[in-house]
Amino acid sequence: MPYQLSSCICISSAISVPTIASHSSYKSAERAQRSVDHVTKIPRSVNMESLQSGYLFPEIFKRETEYAMRNPHTRLLRLGIGDTTEPIPNIIASAMAEQALALSTVQGYRGYGLEQGNRDLRMAIAETFYQDMQVQENEIFVSDGAQCDISRVQMLLGPSLSVAVQDPTFPAYLDSNVILGRAGKFQVETEKYKKIVYMKCGPENNFFPDLSTTPRVDVIFFCSPNNPTGSAASRQQLKQLVEFAKANGSMIIYDSAYSAYISDESPRSIYEIPGAREVAIEISSFSKFAGFTGVRLGWTVVPEELRYANGYSVLKDYDRIVCTSFNGASNIVQAGGLACLSPEGFKALKSTINHYMENAKILVDTFESLGLKVYGGRNAPYIWVHFPGLSSWDVFNEFLERAAIVIIPGTGFGPGGKEYVRVSAFGHRECMLEASRRIRKLL
């Protein structure tokens, strides 16, 4: 029996779930059923055909929608997709509003900016996040978000290169490599792509791959703090990763989008590790620490020391790619980014970060009190919960159908997540407390 509640909607999903099917939804279904009278002569890309049936998050949205239509009076607590919920601090929103209003004046109007991003913002990023790491303004490329850059960076790399990912891993790393032709066919029996190296990262190895058994690959995708497990690699672990890359002539694509949540001595950047500038590109974002999920702002660092096998600069090629495929982040959004990195803005954001991490503690305490093994929630706002012997999609369905809570099945992040679920701490406090009560009742 679903919970019938009159309050507390926890909106942790990037897309709201309608309580009834909309007119446009019916129209879309109607169009899909129409007979096709004409087709082009363009064959579908074999790479697109290799993608699995649905990207993880749209599949979850589909199931949410079906549940909402069956239970129109039930309010869901969405602890699934990691969308921020707390308002952007006024000092930051005001900076964007001021920039927007200035566009209506002759003096304040601006057209195209630099494709690489506002120089003041790039300098602020270098000074705020990369002190003593030798990162310069010209090595930073401001963008419309980390997920866009995950694909944009791969334009540097040929389709025949070998790739390794953590297992479990953020789905965009896999799907982008499939689309670009590096993954090979999906193997149903192993639930892996044939040409991808899956580096097992579980509690048995402290969520860090055994590099002594990892084959040589060209490109390593690595995320710390990790999405979905919430684990942050230690300094010693990242030193091993950099040494592995150097010994094998590999390149690391390092995602540090959640680094602002690190609360211990774990490195917040790969460039804290000696030698990393010779082997690593770092991608990061304002989305999760500044609440810019819908505002869209991120950056990528490509060090001058990073070179191809022939000695040519990767930085020069990336600059060309950016200038070819991107006209730069919005001037309005970049004004907001600068405000984020001001002393007042950064201080205001720390309270928001603390809010989400206090949410994480509530969830960790809840699951641990029920005798479950819980990981994450200390250096990232994600909780990785083990349900031994159970399918993660079955656990997802139990939470949805019996407690009206949306979580993420771990299998959506790779075979290493089969018995796990990811729970997001992004949400309003009252929703986390209500989720805690429901979870205790469910389990």
Side-chain angles (χ1 to χ4, degrees):
M1 180 74 178
Y3 290 85
Q4 305 296 319
L5 299 177
S6 59
S7 63
C8 188
I9 304 178
C10 185
I11 305 175
S12 260
S13 172
I15 313 171
S16 61
V17 178
T19 55
I20 59 171
S22 66
H23 178 71
S24 61
S25 298
Y26 286 127
K27 285 294 183 183
S28 296
E30 194 177 285
R31 283 195 296 269
Q33 294 174 2
R34 291 177 185 170
S35 61
V36 176
D37 297 323
H38 174 79
V39 296
T40 70
K41 294 183 179 180
I42 309 302
R44 188 184 182 207
S45 165
V46 294
N47 298 331
M48 295 302 296
E49 290 178 350
S50 295
L51 285 169
Q52 288 309 285
S53 58
Y55 188 64
L56 173 63
F57 301 122
E59 175 61 24
I60 289 168
F61 170 61
K62 174 175 173 274
R63 296 190 187 206
E64 283 184 31
T65 304
E66 290 170 351
Y67 176 88
M69 292 179 69
R70 285 186 282 107
N71 303 275
H73 303 296
T74 300
R75 301 203 182 211
L76 290 171
L77 300 183
R78 300 185 183 93
L79 309 185
I81 295 172
D83 193 7
T84 51
T85 59
E86 301 310 291
I88 295 172
N90 184 66
I91 186 174
I92 297 167
S94 294
M96 290 189 279
E98 184 178 337
Q99 180 73 17
L101 288 171
L103 295 175
S104 67
T105 69
V106 173
Q107 297 81 6
Y109 177 78
R110 296 290 182 274
Y112 289 123
L114 294 171
E115 292 92 342
Q116 301 86 351
N118 180 300
R119 283 199 173 97
D120 288 341
L121 177 56
R122 292 155 73 191
M123 290 174 65
I125 290 170
E127 292 168 3
T128 304
F129 299 106
Y130 301 103
Q131 283 188 1
D132 305 320
M133 297 180 214
Q134 302 178 329
V135 173
Q136 304 298 315
E137 168 258 327
N138 68 301
E139 299 172 317
I140 296 171
F141 297 81
V142 175
S143 72
D144 49 349
Q147 185 145 337
C148 300
D149 280 351
I150 288 168
S151 295
R152 195 174 287 126
V153 160
Q154 293 188 64
M155 295 174 71
L156 291 165
L157 311 170
S160 63
L161 297 183
S162 55
V163 171
V165 298
Q166 292 161 284
D167 179 25
T169 191
F170 182 52
Y173 307 143
L174 276 173
D175 283 7
S176 56
N177 275 288
V178 174
I179 291 168
L180 292 166
R182 299 191 191 103
K185 293 293 184 183
F186 186 76
Q187 311 295 298
V188 176
E189 62 279 6
T190 63
E191 299 182 22
K192 298 178 180 179
Y193 284 97
K194 185 175 182 180
K195 293 182 180 180
I196 298 288
V197 172
Y198 290 74
M199 304 184 297
K200 179 72 180 203
C201 295
E204 68 279 2
N205 59 4
N206 294 317
F207 296 97
F208 187 79
D210 181 354
L211 296 177
S212 68
T213 61
T214 301
R216 189 251 168 220
V217 292
D218 295 306
V219 185
I220 302 165
F221 285 83
F222 198 90
C223 180
S224 179
N226 181 263
N227 179 9
T229 66
S231 62
S234 69
R235 192 170 303 275
Q236 183 58 35
Q237 287 173 334
L238 289 183
K239 183 180 176 184
Q240 292 176 33
L241 182 65
V242 169
E243 289 174 349
F244 178 83
K246 291 190 78 171
N248 288 285
S250 307
M251 182 185 296
I252 301 166
I253 309 297
Y254 188 83
D255 185 342
S256 64
Y258 298 93
S259 63
Y261 290 92
I262 291 176
S263 60
D264 59 20
E265 298 302 311
S266 302
R268 296 191 174 200
S269 169
I270 189 70
Y271 302 123
E272 293 184 38
I273 308 303
R277 287 177 56 83
E278 300 171 7
V279 296
I281 290 173
E282 181 163 300
I283 296 172
S284 200
S285 172
F286 284 80
S287 287
K288 300 303 167 68
F289 87 88
F292 274 28
T293 51
V295 179
R296 310 309 305 145
L297 190 66
W299 72 88
T300 290
V301 179
V302 185
E304 289 184 346
E305 291 92 327
L306 188 62
R307 304 280 165 161
Y308 294 108
N310 66 356
Y312 193 79
S313 168
V314 176
L315 172 63
K316 289 182 179 178
D317 270 2
Y318 193 64
D319 185 73
R320 179 65 179 270
I321 286 169
V322 168
C323 292
T324 301
S325 64
F326 187 54
N327 269 335
S330 159
N331 292 328
I332 297 169
V333 174
Q334 291 189 76
L338 265 173
C340 288
L341 304 185
S342 69
E344 299 85 357
F346 209 62
K347 181 179 179 181
L349 290 175
K350 284 184 178 178
S351 69
T352 305
I353 290 169
N354 290 338
H355 167 86
Y356 292 131
M357 293 313 294
E358 288 165 5
N359 284 351
K361 187 177 187 306
I362 291 169
L363 294 172
V364 168
D365 290 348
T366 299
F367 285 110
E368 286 184 340
S369 72
L370 296 167
L372 293 165
K373 286 284 188 183
V374 184
Y375 307 94
R378 292 174 178 85
N379 284 317
Y382 293 128
I383 293 86
W384 190 241
V385 189
H386 191 201
F387 287 85
L390 297 178
S391 156
S392 61
W393 274 112
D394 287 345
V395 176
F396 169 90
N397 286 330
E398 282 289 296
F399 271 66
L400 179 62
E401 297 294 337
R402 294 182 54 203
I405 296 175
V406 178
I407 55 177
I408 302 288
T411 193
F413 299 98
K418 280 184 180 179
E419 297 181 346
Y420 293 83
V421 296
R422 192 197 78 177
V423 187
S424 169
F426 289 112
H428 302 307
R429 180 59 45 80
E430 64 271 22
C431 297
M432 293 297 150
L433 295 172
E434 175 61 26
S436 176
R437 287 190 287 270
R438 294 194 199 181
I439 291 166
R440 292 177 193 276
K441 185 174 181 179
L442 173 66
L443 301 179

